[in-house]
Amino acid sequence: MVGCLVDMHLYAGHPEALDLLEKITDYGIANINRARVPAQNLTGKLTQGDPLEWYTLSENLYRAYQHTGKQKYRDFADVWLYPQYWDKFVNSSNPQDVRGFHAYSHLNTLSSAAMAYAVSGDAKYLQILRNSYDFFQNVQCYATGGYGPMERLLPADDKASDAHPIL
């Protein structure tokens, strides 16, 4: 919803979009569970984080901050940073402990890391993005461009071209 409302105002000039953006963000600030339980290897326990995929929220909140300049969007985006996963890529493009994570949401969360870099300029996020790009290209990606067999990340010592069931 946040991304949609930002786009509605930015690209379509919708006159009510920013008021609605503020209203739903205020609701989220007051009501969304802040537990931020990291996702786990889904080969053992089925969890994608609690609340569900919270680690994808920062991207559009940072976009709202860029578009409006309102600090509350940046502050709320900062709540949803995901160092438990992103930091695995600070010093490695081949982390050893990401096997079995939900492939799509753990690629999507890197868009939030990109926006954290765009907003903060912190070089750590740029390094995370470079290394994670190499990881997804070199380990996760099939020749067709697909990735995530059975919707899971492959072990770092495996290659998508040699993929076999991991569950």
Side-chain angles (χ1 to χ4, degrees), residues 47-147:
T47 179
Q48 295 173 334
D50 183 28
L52 187 62
E53 297 185 5
W54 56 267
Y55 37 81
T56 62
L57 296 178
S58 291
E59 175 187 6
N60 286 305
L61 288 163
Y62 282 132
R63 290 184 62 235
Y65 166 71
Q66 285 183 320
H67 184 60
T68 67
K70 290 190 175 185
Q71 187 67 35
K72 78 171 168 183
Y73 298 116
R74 181 176 180 167
D75 292 345
F76 197 40
D78 288 346
V79 168
W80 307 107
L81 299 178
Y82 193 18
Q84 302 93 329
Y85 174 71
W86 298 348
D87 286 357
K88 295 175 187 303
F89 296 98
V90 170
N91 296 311
S92 177
S93 61
N94 198 15
Q96 300 301 307
D97 57 351
V98 297
R99 176 185 188 263
F101 280 69
H102 185 252
Y104 306 106
S105 62
H106 280 78
L107 176 65
N108 290 344
T109 187
L110 295 164
S111 295
S112 290
M115 287 305 298
Y117 173 67
V119 167
S120 72
D122 186 339
K124 169 185 155 180
Y125 294 116
L126 183 57
Q127 190 60 42
I128 288 167
L129 295 168
R130 287 179 172 144
N131 285 339
S132 62
Y133 175 85
D134 289 345
F135 172 74
F136 276 89
Q137 272 303 121
N138 298 333
V139 177
Q140 300 302 314
C141 208
Y142 291 98
T144 61
Y147 68 100

